[in-house]
Amino acid sequence: MKGLILGGGKGTRLRPLTLNTPKPIVPVANRPFLLYQIDLMKTAGIDEIILSLAYLPRKIEDLLKDGADFDVRVRYAVESEPLGTAGAFKNAEEWIDEPAVVFNGDVLTSLDLPAVIAAHRERGAVATIVLTPVDDPSAYGLVEHDDDGRVTRFLEKPDMDAITSNQINAGTYVLEPRVFEHIPGGRPYSFERELFPALLEAGLPVYAYTSDCYWIDIGTPRHYLEAHMDILAGRFHSPSIPPTTLETGGVENDASIDERSLIAPGVSIGRGARIASSVIGPSCRIREGARVVDSVVWPGATIEEHASVTGSILGRSCSVGRSAVLRSGTVLGGMSSITDFSSL
Ligand code: GDD
Ligand code: MG
């Protein structure tokens, strides 16, 4: 079984965070996001993973290299122009001569991947699509299936009046190499809008695997923050999340840091500062009396005296001035500088 991760989207909904950092490697709990997906692939014994990239591929290649640091073999299939989800898969055809697990590169999940693969084999499917329930399917791909789990309809981003269930495409597939025959080469092609409807039209066995495991698409600021709150509350668990290791001298005695928060190495926290339910990246400086609550702060930020940051995401190396107030929903791009006493 091969693995392929689709990571070529521009991440527009996560801008400005993705202007310099492609979505597959935005930090999640102080770890590049892709590593969670690699962990999951490994649970199914997959040790060769193709990264399908188009946007800022070098940043991802520089981080993962040949995968040796992460105990997998990583190959890169880079598109000069985005080829769409199925076109990107086709672009890696030369490396895939056996069934493959394909992930959308922005889904955090505790899916039982070996069980999905077993179900795929048992049913003799050409494609198995993992489904998950959500409150509002309109932002996803709606999938209908019969009582035996055979998919009968795939409808991407349905209009409100076309919503027939709450089961959506979770962005995880097992695909037989024969689906390549149904994907035209060298031009953009979509799994969701073209390939899946075409396989159904051709009467091929496409099956659903319904899971109610933890699942979230981190591709919007709201969901990115929500994924962090879920991690801090223990709703998503990974043994690989780096624990807080406070260095002696880095934290003043009367600073308050709740047990949930994750603080990376090299962070300094001043007197009377308060951190609650937040993730603080490496080398951040939180000055005297500052508060950071329900927030995610990327590496290298400075939050000055008595500033207050709530429900916010701060990109790399931001600076928040003295007594500035950042309220819920604030998203700062990398290197942003917020002047003293500002209120956002
Ligand atoms: N290589 C490559 N080339 N990757 C691409 C391209 C491309 O042209 N276009 C998109 N991708 C990657 C993105 O980087 C992302 O990891 C994944 O494909 C899905 O793209 P999104 O832009 O995040 O799609 P979505 O979230 O709106 O919808 C998709 O995911 C939903 C689940 O989160 C669809 O698959 C829906 O059906 C699904 O419900
Ligand atoms: Mg997405």
Side-chain angles (χ1 to χ4, degrees), residues 35-312:
L35 299 185
Y36 297 94
Q37 296 201 317
I38 291 176
D39 289 346
L40 183 55
M41 292 253 183
K42 284 197 211 161
T43 65
I46 296 170
D47 55 10
E48 187 176 329
I49 298 174
I50 299 156
L51 298 184
S52 168
L53 309 177
Y55 176 67
L56 303 177
R58 277 294 301 277
K59 301 220 168 183
I60 300 175
E61 291 174 52
D62 287 349
L63 184 83
L64 291 176
K65 305 194 179 74
D66 63 358
D69 293 351
F70 309 97
D71 287 328
V72 284
R73 171 157 190 202
V74 175
R75 291 177 185 276
Y76 298 90
V78 179
E79 296 141 62
S80 41
E81 287 297 319
L83 287 171
T85 46
F89 182 59
K90 179 84 172 175
N91 190 44
E93 182 171 5
E94 60 174 309
W95 292 324
I96 304 176
D97 46 8
E98 56 185 304
V101 169
V102 176
F103 286 168
N104 281 354
D106 58 0
V107 165
L108 182 69
T109 178
S110 50
L111 180 69
D112 183 347
L113 190 57
V116 178
I117 294 169
H120 173 84
R121 289 192 173 126
E122 251 162 53
R123 291 144 145 187
V126 295
T128 295
I129 303 173
V130 176
L131 307 189
T132 191
V134 292
D135 293 336
D136 174 14
S138 66
Y140 302 98
L142 184 83
V143 184
E144 292 174 13
H145 59 81
D146 67 16
D147 292 343
D148 298 328
R150 193 156 170 165
V151 174
T152 50
R153 189 163 177 236
F154 194 112
L155 190 60
E156 184 66 11
K157 312 272 153 67
D159 289 337
M160 280 298 181
D161 55 9
I163 292 172
T164 47
S165 87
N166 68 343
Q167 300 286 329
I168 59 115
N169 167 25
T172 299
Y173 319 116
V174 186
L175 302 175
E176 291 297 312
R178 34 179 192 127
V179 304
F180 283 123
E181 294 161 26
H182 299 265
I183 309 173
R187 71 166 172 92
Y189 203 68
S190 161
F191 277 137
E192 299 87 344
R193 296 180 193 277
E194 296 172 285
L195 180 72
F196 295 139
L199 296 179
L200 296 176
E201 182 74 15
L204 291 166
V206 177
Y207 277 91
Y209 178 99
T210 303
S211 163
D212 56 7
C213 287
Y214 181 82
W215 183 91
I216 196 166
D217 176 337
I218 61 147
T220 63
R222 190 166 66 85
H223 286 145
Y224 174 79
L225 198 56
E226 189 181 325
H228 280 86
M229 296 306 121
D230 289 341
I231 289 170
L232 298 183
R235 288 185 286 271
F236 174 84
H237 177 73
S238 158
S240 309
I241 292 174
T244 295
T245 43
L246 295 171
E247 278 146 55
T248 353
V251 181
E252 301 282 346
N253 282 338
D254 59 351
S256 125
I257 302 166
D258 74 341
E259 279 183 12
R260 288 187 168 195
S261 293
L262 288 171
I263 320 283
V267 171
S268 66
I269 301 173
R271 276 200 299 144
R274 176 170 172 244
I275 298 179
S277 183
S278 293
V279 176
I280 312 291
S283 309
C284 287
R285 287 167 295 193
I286 316 291
R287 307 282 198 208
E288 187 176 325
R291 289 164 42 102
V292 182
V293 179
D294 295 337
S295 295
V296 178
V297 182
W298 289 17
T302 303
I303 299 175
E304 298 291 355
E305 284 90 352
H306 303 288
S308 166
V309 174
T310 306
S312 300

